[in-house]
Structure formats: structure tokens, C-alpha cells
Amino acid sequence: MTERGWGRRFEDPIRIGDRLLATLLDAGEYIATLPQKEHAAPEWQAAMEP
């Protein structure tokens, strides 16, 4: 059974520096910790759209 919601795993995890983003929750937490200037960038805003 496939997990739903924030615990859903990516087919291919995303490596950013020494961090591995394996779930939607990981990605959301990462985006939330970005400085405001980066957080507001169009590419991150697009990534957060449903």
C-alpha cells in the first residue's frame, strides 16, 4: 500500500548538500528553513503548490 500525505516517499530522493529529502515532509521542512529571500523565489513557490 502506498503511503499518502506528508509521509509519502519520493521515487528518487533529492540530495541537497549533505541532506537527503526522501519524503514530502522532508522537503517541506527544508523549504521552511530557507532564508526568506530564497523561500520567496519563484521556483520554491512553484514547488509548494498543490
Side-chain angles (χ1 to χ4, degrees), residues 14-46:
I14 303 165
R15 183 166 298 282
I16 299 179
D18 61 346
R19 253 181 112 162
L20 186 65
L21 309 179
T23 66
L24 291 173
L25 181 60
D26 294 340
E29 289 175 342
Y30 175 78
I31 293 169
T33 64
L34 292 173
Q36 182 59 34
K37 186 175 181 180
E38 286 182 61
H39 186 271
E43 58 270 20
W44 286 116
Q45 292 302 307

